[in-house]
C-alpha cells in the first residue's frame, strides 16, 4: 500500500472527484491553502494498492496539470471602444503529488 | 516512531477524543470529507512510538468500527396508525487507519 | 525527497509563513486542532529535498519553539489599587515536526 497525497487547484476538484468516484478511488479531502501559501488549493489523501498508483497518477495528471487557457478580459462598461479585449493566454491548474510508503493499512 | 492517520465518522469523534486524552495520546485533528468523498469524516494524525501502535489501533477499532444499530424511523405526523415504525437495522461508524514509517520526530 | 509535517501554534503562523516565502519553501497549510486536541494549531506539509531538511527545521525551531514570555495581566477596572498586575511569565509557542520518507514526487 502507498499513501498518495495530491495538492490541486480548487477549480479542478469537481472534475477530479467525479473521476475518482467513477474509478472507485477512495479519496479523503482536506481543505488547504498553499504552495507558496497561495489560497485556493485542495488536498486529497488516497490510500492505495501499489499496482493502482500509476492509474491514479494518470487521472490526476490528465485533469489537473498546468495548462494554457485563453480568456477574454472583462469588457469595460463606459461605452467606449472595446479594443483592449483580446483573448489573453493564462496558466491554470497544476498538481503536486507525493507518494509515501505505508507499513500497515486497516479498515474497521 | 510511526505516523498513524485515522479517518473516522464524525459521530465517533467525541468518544474517541475522550479516550485519546485519557490514554495520553496526542492527536492532531483535521477537518476532512471523504472515503468516496462522503461528508462527515474527521482525520486524526498521531505521531507515536512503535510499541504504542497496537494500543492506539485497539482504541480506534473499539470505538469507531463499523457496527449495526437499530433505529426507529421518525413517526409520521398525520395521526394515522403507526404500523410502519418498526426499528430498522442501520450501519454506523467505520474507520480507515494508515500507518506510515517516520524518519525523524522533533518537539521544539 | 521527504515529507515534513509541522504542527505549530496559530500565533506563530504569520512569522513562519513570511520566512517560508523568503526562503522559497513551498508549504501547504492545513487547518487543524490538537496536540491533546487543544485548539489553535496549524499544520504545514512541505515536500522537500533531503539536503534542505536541516534548513527548514532550523527555521521552524527558531520561530516556533516553546519559549517564556512576560505578560502583564489585564488591569481590573474598579478603580482599586492595582497591586496584582505584576508581569507574569507564561509559556508560548511550541512545534511538533515529523519527517517521513517519500517514494515519488511529481509536479504536473
Ligand atoms: Ni481550498
Ligand atoms: Ni467533518
Ligand atoms: Ni488553527
Amino acid at each position: 500500500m502507498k499513501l498518495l497525497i495530491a495538492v490541486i487547484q480548487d477549480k479542478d476538484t469537481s472534475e477530479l472527484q467525479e473521476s475518482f468516484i467513477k474509478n472507485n478511488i477512495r479519496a479523503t479531502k482536506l481543505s488547504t491553502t498553499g504552495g507558496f501559501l497561495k489560497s485556493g488549493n485542495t488536498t486529497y489523501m488516497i490510500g492505495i494498492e501499489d499496482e493502482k498508483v500509476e492509474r491514479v497518477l494518470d487521472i490526476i495528471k490528465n485533469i489537473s496539470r498546468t495548462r494554457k487557457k485563453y480568456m477574454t478580459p472583462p469588457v469595460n462598461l463606459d461605452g467606449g471602444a472595446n479594443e483592449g479585449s483580446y483573448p489573453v493566454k493564462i496558466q491554470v491548474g497544476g498538481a503536486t503529488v507525493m507518494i509515501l510508503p505505508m507499513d500497515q493499512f486497516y479498515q474497521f
Side-chain angles (χ1 to χ4, degrees), chain A:
Chain A
M1 297 289 292
K2 302 287 182 198
L3 174 61
L4 189 153
I5 299 174
V7 185
I8 67 146
Q9 297 297 308
D10 277 350
K11 65 174 60 190
D12 290 331
T13 52
S14 59
E15 200 184 338
L16 193 57
Q17 289 181 199
E18 266 178 53
S19 187
F20 284 160
I21 291 169
K22 212 170 54 185
N23 287 278
N24 212 25
I25 297 161
R26 294 180 181 256
T28 298
K29 182 181 176 179
L30 288 72
S31 224
T32 51
T33 53
F36 289 122
L37 309 162
K38 281 173 300 194
S39 62
N41 286 343
T42 294
T43 297
Y44 293 94
M45 294 193 310
I46 303 171
I48 195 166
E49 294 87 359
D50 296 46
E51 62 271 20
K52 290 188 185 161
V53 167
E54 273 308 314
R55 190 158 61 96
V56 178
L57 279 173
D58 280 347
I59 290 169
I60 295 169
K61 188 178 182 178
N62 285 337
I63 292 174
S64 317
R65 69 163 171 267
T66 305
R67 66 264 182 198
K68 303 292 182 191
K69 200 177 119 178
Y70 284 91
M71 199 190 75
T72 306
V75 171
N76 62 351
L77 297 175
D78 62 5
N82 229 343
E83 301 124 309
S85 291
Y86 292 106
V88 176
K89 208 194 236 181
I90 59 166
Q91 183 174 300
V92 297
T96 298
V97 184
M98 298 176 283
I99 297 173
L100 310 184
M102 197 188 295
D103 285 346
Q104 299 169 62
F105 181 81
Y106 298 97
Q107 284 186 292
F108 296 133

